[in-house]
Amino acid sequence: MTLKIGVIGTGMIGRDHTRRIQQVLAGAEVVALSDVNLASAESVRADLAPNAKLYQTGEELIAAPEVDAVLVTSWGATHEPYVLAAVAAGKPVFCEKPLATTAEGARRIVEAEVAHGKRLVQVGFMRRYDAGYVALKDAVQQHTGAPILVHAAHRNPAVPEAYVTPMAIHDTLIHEIDVFRWLLDDDYVSARVLYPRNAARSHGKLRDPQVVVLETKKGVLIDVEIFVNCHYGYDIQCEVVGEDGTARLPEPMAIDMRLGAKRQSRILTDWKDRFVASYDVELQDFIAAAAKGSATGPSAWDGYAAAVTSDACVQAQESAGQAVAIELPARPALYE
Amino acid sequence: MTLKIGVIGTGMIGRDHTRRIQQVLAGAEVVALSDVNLASAESVRADLAPNAKLYQTGEELIAAPEVDAVLVTSWGATHEPYVLAAVAAGKPVFCEKPLATTAEGARRIVEAEVAHGKRLVQVGFMRRYDAGYVALKDAVQQHTGAPILVHAAHRNPAVPEAYVTPMAIHDTLIHEIDVFRWLLDDDYVSARVLYPRNAARSHGKLRDPQVVVLETKKGVLIDVEIFVNCHYGYDIQCEVVGEDGTARLPEPMAIDMRLGAKRQSRILTDWKDRFVASYDVELQDFIAAAAKGSATGPSAWDGYAAAVTSDACVQAQESAGQAVAIELPARPALYE
Amino acid sequence: MTLKIGVIGTGMIGRDHTRRIQQVLAGAEVVALSDVNLASAESVRADLAPNAKLYQTGEELIAAPEVDAVLVTSWGATHEPYVLAAVAAGKPVFCEKPLATTAEGARRIVEAEVAHGKRLVQVGFMRRYDAGYVALKDAVQQHTGAPILVHAAHRNPAVPEAYVTPMAIHDTLIHEIDVFRWLLDDDYVSARVLYPRNAARSHGKLRDPQVVVLETKKGVLIDVEIFVNCHYGYDIQCEVVGEDGTARLPEPMAIDMRLGAKRQSRILTDWKDRFVASYDVELQDFIAAAAKGSATGPSAWDGYAAAVTSDACVQAQESAGQAVAIELPARPALYE
Amino acid sequence: MTLKIGVIGTGMIGRDHTRRIQQVLAGAEVVALSDVNLASAESVRADLAPNAKLYQTGEELIAAPEVDAVLVTSWGATHEPYVLAAVAAGKPVFCEKPLATTAEGARRIVEAEVAHGKRLVQVGFMRRYDAGYVALKDAVQQHTGAPILVHAAHRNPAVPEAYVTPMAIHDTLIHEIDVFRWLLDDDYVSARVLYPRNAARSHGKLRDPQVVVLETKKGVLIDVEIFVNCHYGYDIQCEVVGEDGTARLPEPMAIDMRLGAKRQSRILTDWKDRFVASYDVELQDFIAAAAKGSATGPSAWDGYAAAVTSDACVQAQESAGQAVAIELPARPALYE
Ligand SMILES: NC(=O)c1ccc[n+]([C@@H]2O[C@H](COP(=O)([O-])OP(=O)(O)OC[C@H]3O[C@@H](n4cnc5c(N)ncnc54)[C@H](O)[C@@H]3O)[C@@H](O)[C@H]2O)c1
Ligand SMILES: NC(=O)c1ccc[n+]([C@@H]2O[C@H](COP(=O)([O-])OP(=O)(O)OC[C@H]3O[C@@H](n4cnc5c(N)ncnc54)[C@H](O)[C@@H]3O)[C@@H](O)[C@H]2O)c1
Ligand SMILES: NC(=O)c1ccc[n+]([C@@H]2O[C@H](COP(=O)([O-])OP(=O)(O)OC[C@H]3O[C@@H](n4cnc5c(N)ncnc54)[C@H](O)[C@@H]3O)[C@@H](O)[C@H]2O)c1
Ligand SMILES: NC(=O)c1ccc[n+]([C@@H]2O[C@H](COP(=O)([O-])OP(=O)(O)OC[C@H]3O[C@@H](n4cnc5c(N)ncnc54)[C@H](O)[C@@H]3O)[C@@H](O)[C@H]2O)c1
């Protein structure tokens, strides 16, 4: 009855997911580990999963008979082949975002899964499992009336020099791209990027902040401020404006203090702390579905839609305020 | 049509009220000034009321034919005789708190006014004119159901060595004593004082903080924390708990900022800033009533009730947690 | 020493400003009234200013020797000639927005005032006097670092059928247009309008909501949601994002209640209540400057800049998401 | 490596804890069940723990060799004998509150555990595991300075007729009694109860609301409003006032909405929802310690202190506002 999981890629997030399965969640255990850096896999085994077997390659791990389900937490560029292999093996697979580094890659996974005829893939868009977004979606469905506008912000205190303009889409906006499709139950039709002057703390290869404007099929207009050198903290804001009223994403819990002539409460500074609880929920969801041989939550189709949208946003970054169209093929019945 | 006002006592608050009448409010002008310190009266005349006449004594000012109404803003110990003189002269008089330094003194004013047969006296309990308390009273009457409990706090950053335990009642709690009678439309029946350990920033002659517990005729239980060395700011809190729900006094307007990993908004530190707008409203109210030869707002009876209650609270400070009864004679018809 | 004011146009706001001068503010009185609808002027005289003289025309009122300063509160189309006449007469004039119905009209007033060589005109952009915006400007200057983005919303519960798309600029956005120039101490260089689907409560001749995007000379990007059929209330939002942090306009004071399984506080529904206190402050400012024969606060130049910007925004409404340039001539020295 | 747990009492909370162990938490499984109502135990086995063995009595379950650790979730009156039996068997035992129905009963457990020489007992005071209280304790230790006052409220929408005055202590205040000892790292020295008039929704055998005032050894004064017919919701409030400032318990996460002229967010109405997440954390803590043959978290000593304090509070309910002393014997070294 315990789901036996193999983990490919035992870096930061692979290690953390292993800890989750071994020490926090019910119903699963990590029985296999693999990493191109063998020492990394060995260290995770020693610290967290002493009974796990080590595999030289992800492919061998996927093929191993004791492995019921697979976690792909290696570098992004390696996700596509591992997910395809898991699908080919008929094993449920949880793949950290991105599902693939190109829209075509994600498309190939969709096609493989459709050919397989049953969902096997869950993509690691954990915000859908965040209690705040879940409550927001409920508020929108129960109270605000049909959405018309979304105002959002994704702020981060600072980024290294290596972070360049397109990463604001691929590494940062990617979570809003997915979570708003889910929140609104809608698809995007265009993207536009507007820039104010650059922040003084940004650098030559990064336009920061930027405002991405997305339009949806149902006519919702979304503006997202991305500001990765905002200095003051890691801050995720989202307000939905509907026919009857508005609803906002809650702030993370913080103690309201009165000190030194200031009413004050802490703001997070590390993105890792912001959605930490949602990782538990997403993996619990994966375990429950995988135990039945299937997958639920963010799908390969969602991963593909996110990839197509990301590409359009990056193109819009170079399009001087013009809208770039976003087109998706018909959604396969598997994902209705 | 312009009300002609004489001001007795041109210190801090006398000067400020003169400025208010001359530069802010409609319908009145300061035509007479008096202060035992003549230089003070002269300076106020020079700065704010060049046409005003100076009087050697308050009694002469009250008697002056050009004076329609009187402001008594001299030291507390001098209030009673001036107010009695104004009542004797049949002139409306605004008296800063306290109405008198003893309950008997306040009683004498009540009797004089009752004998006069018409209200002439307004006491300077300005909180009743604060937009926050006014809105709170409205919320209690419209929404919370009949009050059962009040939780309150009166916090001040620091006091000088000269501030001793009874001043926590006479100088600090006095405003809550009046404003809660008005807010609840009720009278007190007992007072009790409870002490935690002394705050490190307090001193040998001051028990600080303290919690005063008042009971009303209608059975409302009120607890007020008085903490005059609270360090962090000047902070007035009030929550009313009624049959159907609760209502809180609003915080003073402050900008919500996000800076340096903190969500923050300023807290006032100087009591003078907290109810500054209400002084304008109370004096405008005085001007309107005095123009018709009468007075409205906090009455001599309210000043008397506050004096009786203060005395009981001071006695309760020495009574080791025992309740001290508060009794008022029957309320004269003039104050119904 | 009392400023003698003549009021042209005694409708809703003219009556209210007369009340303000007569009953609330110090230092001025209304001595003359005029309205094309004589009955209206007579009624205001009867209710509020019994000593005021009635004039058949605004021109006669302006010329009257007892009139020190003029309030123009007639319909928008009549503002320009009255303001020009007041400037010609060398009398300080407070003009409700709009200064003129065309940019050229406003320009003519600027030229007349510049020719006169001294400021005489104050435009009724009262938000600059709102305590919330004043505190916000202070927070931006003291704490947030130089502004980069502004996110704003102007929401109104419902509008009549007669309200058509361009009115969202001329009657609604106009206040943001002025107040953000002042808040940021900056000028606009372009405007763009984006539309989501129409709200169900809007009608065929009104695109509602809409998002206006303004860029400034200093590179600040401003997005303003205008939603005049938002249903839930009259709600003005503004968040400034600077180099070091953010600051938000405070909510209007409201009592925080707990009732019926909801924490709740009232939202205003009538725009008249939102900035009611700022009208007092703006007129007090006018009285103070006019008493010295001059004017301060929002200038004819500001009125002109607002008119030019409005025109660009209306053009942008028809430009399918394209930016429309905004150009102002050099600012005359009088307005530095 | 999986901890094998036996559950005695499979009613509401016993069932819920079984679900937790079987479906949510890592590291344990329920292998034995017992209830005087056999059908209840059978139903829990069927729904949640098909491999568990049923026992006729709690004593047999405790003695069963496959049982590593015990959960006592039967009626309060049965806790003491089961906990004593578990201690006698040297097995870690999690006991829902109350540890015993009398202080002497709790004392016997303390003595048995001390005699055993090692901690085995954890009491189900789950608030210590609530993220809000944990953050509050951190704020107090890091920021507010040493505590001087605590203002708290425990409000519940309604209670049945069977709920009488002493239950306000035993069933309601009991959680504050424990969590404030922990929050302040302190012990109580006296209790006092003050009553306003009864709420209209209360009944003849229940004084409601009431205010319990506790004093601690370190001199902290705590006031707790207990209002079990407050009507509007289930609401737990706590503010700590320290030498340098204050800190408040956060509100439960709720979506801030703007609807129908109200800013609003939901308040819980069912106590079961308020600390639901903390049950997971407390049991995870139990599993971790029990896996090492010991116990952590709220101890038998804490359960005893809570029982002694409850008794004093109930006595204070009958003492007309007088303080009742609270005395504990010296704390055994095991609990330092
Ligand atoms: N959902 C989220 O919020 C979130 C957060 C962090 C990371 N991620 C995603 O998780 C993935 C991993 O991120 P990380 O931060 O753990 O990176 P990391 O560099 O810490 O770890 C990646 C690990 O994968 C290993 N690896 C690389 N190629 C491999 C291969 N072909 N086979 C086996 N192992 C291989 C590396 O040796 C490394 O140990 C990325 O795709 C990232 O985008 C998602
Ligand atoms: N309502 C409030 O919040 C509030 C605030 C401040 C002061 N007050 C009250 O106002 C009164 C004055 O306070 P203040 O802070 O202005 O004090 P202050 O010492 O600054 O001024 C008092 C003035 O009265 C003058 N004076 C004293 N005796 C006089 C007399 N017999 N005749 C004429 N003048 C006399 C003094 O010379 C002095 O100039 C006090 O009773 C105080 O409690 C009320
Ligand atoms: N700053 C603000 O927030 C604000 C608010 C309301 C109105 N306003 C502005 O104030 C002006 C008046 O608005 P209102 O709501 O009071 O309108 P209103 O229609 O109630 O009143 C206008 C009055 O002007 C009179 N009038 C028209 N033409 C005249 C003329 N040539 N000479 C003399 N009187 C004339 C009309 O008879 C009427 O009595 C408008 O320009 C409006 O935009 C500004
Ligand atoms: N920490 C909390 O917040 C919290 C919440 C709820 C309940 N509790 C405590 O948990 C305990 C149980 O509460 P509940 O709400 O689940 O009650 P319940 O009545 O739903 O369940 C109690 C179960 O115990 C069984 N039982 C009674 N005597 C027994 C015995 N001698 N041996 C075996 N089983 C026996 C009953 O048949 C019943 O099935 C109580 O002590 C209560 O105070 C604590």
mmCIF file of all heavy atoms in Angstrom, chain A residues 99-110:
data_model
loop_
_atom_site.group_PDB
_atom_site.id
_atom_site.type_symbol
_atom_site.label_atom_id
_atom_site.label_comp_id
_atom_site.label_asym_id
_atom_site.label_seq_id
_atom_site.Cartn_x
_atom_site.Cartn_y
_atom_site.Cartn_z
ATOM 1 N N LEU A 99 8.123 21.668 -17.606
ATOM 2 C CA LEU A 99 7.906 20.324 -18.149
ATOM 3 C C LEU A 99 8.933 20.036 -19.245
ATOM 4 O O LEU A 99 9.440 18.918 -19.374
ATOM 5 C CB LEU A 99 6.480 20.273 -18.730
ATOM 6 C CG LEU A 99 6.030 18.970 -19.361
ATOM 7 C CD1 LEU A 99 6.127 17.822 -18.366
ATOM 8 C CD2 LEU A 99 4.608 19.086 -19.884
ATOM 9 N N ALA A 100 9.232 21.051 -20.034
ATOM 10 C CA ALA A 100 10.259 20.939 -21.068
ATOM 11 C C ALA A 100 10.763 22.345 -21.336
ATOM 12 O O ALA A 100 10.088 23.314 -20.989
ATOM 13 C CB ALA A 100 9.669 20.331 -22.345
ATOM 14 N N THR A 101 11.912 22.462 -21.962
ATOM 15 C CA THR A 101 12.465 23.806 -22.167
ATOM 16 C C THR A 101 11.926 24.465 -23.434
ATOM 17 O O THR A 101 12.193 25.645 -23.663
ATOM 18 C CB THR A 101 14.003 23.768 -22.210
ATOM 19 O OG1 THR A 101 14.374 22.712 -23.098
ATOM 20 C CG2 THR A 101 14.563 23.494 -20.828
ATOM 21 N N THR A 102 11.194 23.708 -24.240
ATOM 22 C CA THR A 102 10.553 24.302 -25.420
ATOM 23 C C THR A 102 9.099 23.860 -25.458
ATOM 24 O O THR A 102 8.733 22.827 -24.898
ATOM 25 C CB THR A 102 11.213 23.821 -26.729
ATOM 26 O OG1 THR A 102 11.034 22.399 -26.798
ATOM 27 C CG2 THR A 102 12.693 24.153 -26.776
ATOM 28 N N ALA A 103 8.315 24.684 -26.157
ATOM 29 C CA ALA A 103 6.904 24.332 -26.317
ATOM 30 C C ALA A 103 6.782 23.012 -27.070
ATOM 31 O O ALA A 103 5.935 22.174 -26.750
ATOM 32 C CB ALA A 103 6.161 25.449 -27.045
ATOM 33 N N GLU A 104 7.643 22.800 -28.072
ATOM 34 C CA GLU A 104 7.554 21.557 -28.832
ATOM 35 C C GLU A 104 7.846 20.354 -27.947
ATOM 36 O O GLU A 104 7.238 19.293 -28.072
ATOM 37 C CB GLU A 104 8.532 21.536 -30.014
ATOM 38 C CG GLU A 104 8.378 22.711 -30.956
ATOM 39 C CD GLU A 104 8.979 23.986 -30.368
ATOM 40 O OE1 GLU A 104 10.156 23.945 -29.928
ATOM 41 O OE2 GLU A 104 8.257 24.999 -30.291
ATOM 42 N N GLY A 105 8.824 20.517 -27.066
ATOM 43 C CA GLY A 105 9.138 19.438 -26.127
ATOM 44 C C GLY A 105 7.928 19.099 -25.259
ATOM 45 O O GLY A 105 7.577 17.925 -25.093
ATOM 46 N N ALA A 106 7.287 20.116 -24.745
ATOM 47 C CA ALA A 106 6.112 19.889 -23.913
ATOM 48 C C ALA A 106 5.011 19.227 -24.742
ATOM 49 O O ALA A 106 4.310 18.325 -24.281
ATOM 50 C CB ALA A 106 5.615 21.218 -23.340
ATOM 51 N N ARG A 107 4.920 19.665 -26.005
ATOM 52 C CA ARG A 107 3.926 19.098 -26.921
ATOM 53 C C ARG A 107 4.138 17.597 -27.115
ATOM 54 O O ARG A 107 3.193 16.817 -27.147
ATOM 55 C CB ARG A 107 4.059 19.844 -28.275
ATOM 56 C CG ARG A 107 3.029 19.515 -29.296
ATOM 57 C CD ARG A 107 1.702 20.172 -28.880
ATOM 58 N NE ARG A 107 0.601 19.705 -29.685
ATOM 59 C CZ ARG A 107 0.220 20.251 -30.830
ATOM 60 N NH1 ARG A 107 0.848 21.320 -31.303
ATOM 61 N NH2 ARG A 107 -0.801 19.757 -31.505
ATOM 62 N N ARG A 108 5.403 17.213 -27.230
ATOM 63 C CA ARG A 108 5.706 15.784 -27.422
ATOM 64 C C ARG A 108 5.234 14.973 -26.210
ATOM 65 O O ARG A 108 4.746 13.861 -26.341
ATOM 66 C CB ARG A 108 7.213 15.587 -27.636
ATOM 67 C CG ARG A 108 7.649 15.907 -29.059
ATOM 68 C CD ARG A 108 9.102 15.539 -29.316
ATOM 69 N NE ARG A 108 10.047 16.438 -28.649
ATOM 70 C CZ ARG A 108 10.550 17.555 -29.211
ATOM 71 N NH1 ARG A 108 10.187 17.937 -30.431
ATOM 72 N NH2 ARG A 108 11.396 18.308 -28.539
ATOM 73 N N ILE A 109 5.379 15.549 -25.033
ATOM 74 C CA ILE A 109 4.922 14.836 -23.831
ATOM 75 C C ILE A 109 3.406 14.709 -23.839
ATOM 76 O O ILE A 109 2.850 13.646 -23.560
ATOM 77 C CB ILE A 109 5.422 15.550 -22.558
ATOM 78 C CG1 ILE A 109 6.948 15.400 -22.468
ATOM 79 C CG2 ILE A 109 4.746 14.984 -21.310
ATOM 80 C CD1 ILE A 109 7.598 16.243 -21.391
ATOM 81 N N VAL A 110 2.733 15.818 -24.202
ATOM 82 C CA VAL A 110 1.276 15.772 -24.316
ATOM 83 C C VAL A 110 0.861 14.650 -25.256
ATOM 84 O O VAL A 110 -0.029 13.836 -24.955
ATOM 85 C CB VAL A 110 0.729 17.132 -24.817
ATOM 86 C CG1 VAL A 110 -0.694 16.993 -25.325
ATOM 87 C CG2 VAL A 110 0.819 18.173 -23.702
#
